[in-house]
């Protein structure tokens, strides 16, 4: 490779390194905000879950079956899989591992005779499912790096409506859970029905212990209106908050994965620059040696 070609390639790699470094710093900044949002939501999500559990216990199994959104379908023939991916790439295996887990779960369900309906957030997931000719019942894009309650509400509204209309018999969500900037783990959780979501069991009993246990007198909770109506309002809220929590975890995982990927890319670019610089120096040395040899040969010819 000519010396000019090596120099041009070094300049190209240096420009790429500037871009990856900038993307790494942007992702690091967004990661801190995403971590704060996910942490601040956890107490509220726990409170909604606890309230839903307590209202389910107060309503009793008979009242649970009177509300369409609370009914457990006799047969689970259609399962909705919610895949939470990103709008953008350049984040390592962030998107691919969700798609892999979702398609693997779909194969398991289809092997047992169940039909799968796909719901996906993020352009990457949507394009991947379209490429594989998978039918998508709901696609939601444009917000995956900074989701908010309105985005989760839109998805939850469609899922609850499909469940009430018995278009879906079960709803599962698959997302990247945030552990650290270097580690994201794929998680699968059940949103509906409530029994499978570990809010109530088949007998209508709640499964979440009170926040604090004491030997003193217990507070008497009075429900107005009745617990069944309150529970009917809390269930969509529970689904929405569960989705929002998963979206925020996924957003933090996305920024962490992209920061890690861009850091690795920057390091690799530095290694390539070092290798190319060494090659350019060798080429320059070879050119100088060649010129010296030509001068010496010309001087000898004159003598």
């Amino acid at each position: 490779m000519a010396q000019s070609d090596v120099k041009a390639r070094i300049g190209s790699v240096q420009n790429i390194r500037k871009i990856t470094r900038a993307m790494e710093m942007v992702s690091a900044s967004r990661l801190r905000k995403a971590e704060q949002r996910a942490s601040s939501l956890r107490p509220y999500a726990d409170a909604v879950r606890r309230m839903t559990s307590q209202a389910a216990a107060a309503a009793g199994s008979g009242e649970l079956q009177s509300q369409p959104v609370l009914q457990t379908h006799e047969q689970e023939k259609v399962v909705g899989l919610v895949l939470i991916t990103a709008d953008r790439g350049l984040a390592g295996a962030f998107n691919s591992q969700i798609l892999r887990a979702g398609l693997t779960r779909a194969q398991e369900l289809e092997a047992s005779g169940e039909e799968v309906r796909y719901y996906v957030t993020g352009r990457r997931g949507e394009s991947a499912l379209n490429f594989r000719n998978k039918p998508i019942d709901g696609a939601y894009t444009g917000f995956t790096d900074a989701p908010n309650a309105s985005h989760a509400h839109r998805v939850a509204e469609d899922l609850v409506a499909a469940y009430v209309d018995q278009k879906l018999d079960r709803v599962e969500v698959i997302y990247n859970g945030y552990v650290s900037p270097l580690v994201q783990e794929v998680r699968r959780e059940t949103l509906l029905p409530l029994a499978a979501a570990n809010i109530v069991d088949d007998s209508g009993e709640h499964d979440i212990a009170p926040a604090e246990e004491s030997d003193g007198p217990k507070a008497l909770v009075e429900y107005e209106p009745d617990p069944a109506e309150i529970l009917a309002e809390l269930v969509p809220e529970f689904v929405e908050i569960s989705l929002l929590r998963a979206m925020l975890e996924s957003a933090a995982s996305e920024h962490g994965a992209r920061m890690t990927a861009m850091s690795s890319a920057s390091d690799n670019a530095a290694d390539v620059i070092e290798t190319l610089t060494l090659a350019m120096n060798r080429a320059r040395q070879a050119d100088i040696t060649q010129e010296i040899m030509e001068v010496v040969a010309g001087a000898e010819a004159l003598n």
Side-chain angles (χ1 to χ4, degrees):
M1 185 181 296
Q3 183 177 338
S4 59
D5 295 336
V6 176
K7 189 174 182 179
R9 190 174 177 185
I10 290 175
S12 177
V13 176
Q14 286 176 336
N15 291 335
I16 292 175
R17 188 188 181 194
K18 290 178 182 178
I19 295 173
T20 56
R21 286 289 296 170
M23 293 182 65
E24 178 187 352
M25 289 186 289
V26 170
S27 295
S29 176
R30 291 179 176 177
L31 173 61
R32 287 191 291 270
K33 295 179 181 178
E35 286 177 328
Q36 293 172 357
R37 294 185 66 195
S39 298
S40 62
L41 182 70
R42 290 190 185 106
Y44 181 71
D46 291 341
V48 170
R49 185 179 180 88
R50 188 177 302 110
M51 290 170 58
T52 305
S53 174
Q54 292 172 349
S61 58
E63 293 294 335
L64 290 178
Q65 297 303 319
S66 66
Q67 300 287 342
V69 72
L70 304 177
Q71 293 178 1
T72 300
H73 299 172
E74 294 182 2
Q75 294 181 337
E76 291 186 355
K77 296 182 178 180
V78 184
V79 178
L81 290 183
V82 184
L83 307 183
I84 299 182
T85 64
D87 287 319
R88 298 183 297 154
L90 298 177
F94 175 82
N95 293 302
S96 61
Q97 62 188 9
I98 291 298
L99 292 168
R100 190 182 306 112
L103 294 174
T104 300
R105 177 57 177 164
Q107 291 176 352
E108 295 173 355
L109 294 171
E110 291 169 350
S112 61
E114 296 169 307
E115 180 184 352
V116 175
R117 301 283 180 85
Y118 290 97
Y119 294 79
V120 60
T121 67
R123 294 188 180 92
R124 292 293 173 174
E126 181 184 13
S127 62
L129 291 178
N130 285 331
F131 178 77
R132 292 170 173 79
N133 295 320
K134 301 293 184 181
I136 301 176
D137 284 27
Y140 314 89
T141 60
F143 59 83
T144 58
D145 59 340
N148 56 40
S150 63
H151 302 134
H153 175 76
R154 181 154 54 99
V155 181
E157 191 175 39
D158 292 345
L159 293 174
V160 171
Y163 185 82
V164 171
D165 295 340
Q166 297 192 356
K167 295 179 181 178
L168 297 176
D169 300 314
R170 184 184 180 95
V171 178
E172 297 180 358
V173 57
I174 299 176
Y175 66 98
N176 277 303
Y178 179 76
V179 178
S180 71
L182 296 174
V183 180
Q184 301 85 36
E185 62 179 15
V186 177
R187 297 174 183 171
R188 177 170 59 88
E189 298 177 358
T190 300
L191 294 179
L192 293 170
L194 287 186
N198 295 326
I199 293 295
V200 296
D201 59 24
D202 294 335
S203 63
E205 297 296 331
H206 69 296
D207 72 335
I208 297 184
E212 296 181 359
E213 294 288 349
S214 65
D215 296 332
K218 304 296 189 297
L220 177 62
V221 179
E222 295 184 0
Y223 292 92
E224 180 63 35
D226 60 83
E229 293 184 32
I230 293 177
L231 186 60
E233 296 293 331
L234 281 175
V235 169
E237 181 73 9
F238 165 76
V239 176
E240 179 179 331
I241 290 300
S242 297
L243 281 172
L244 179 58
R245 180 179 56 81
M247 289 178 181
L248 290 177
E249 292 266 355
S250 179
S253 299
E254 176 188 351
H255 296 313
R258 183 169 293 111
M259 183 185 71
T260 302
M262 292 300 100
S263 175
S264 179
S266 298
D267 294 341
N268 291 338
D271 293 340
V272 171
I273 291 172
E274 183 178 353
T275 302
L276 291 175
T277 301
L278 181 61
M280 186 178 67
N281 291 337
R282 287 176 177 173
R284 182 185 296 117
Q285 184 178 7
D287 290 343
I288 294 173
T289 302
Q290 181 65 28
E291 291 176 0
I292 293 174
M293 291 178 64
E294 290 175 356
V295 171
V296 172
E300 290 180 350
L302 291 175
N303 293 333

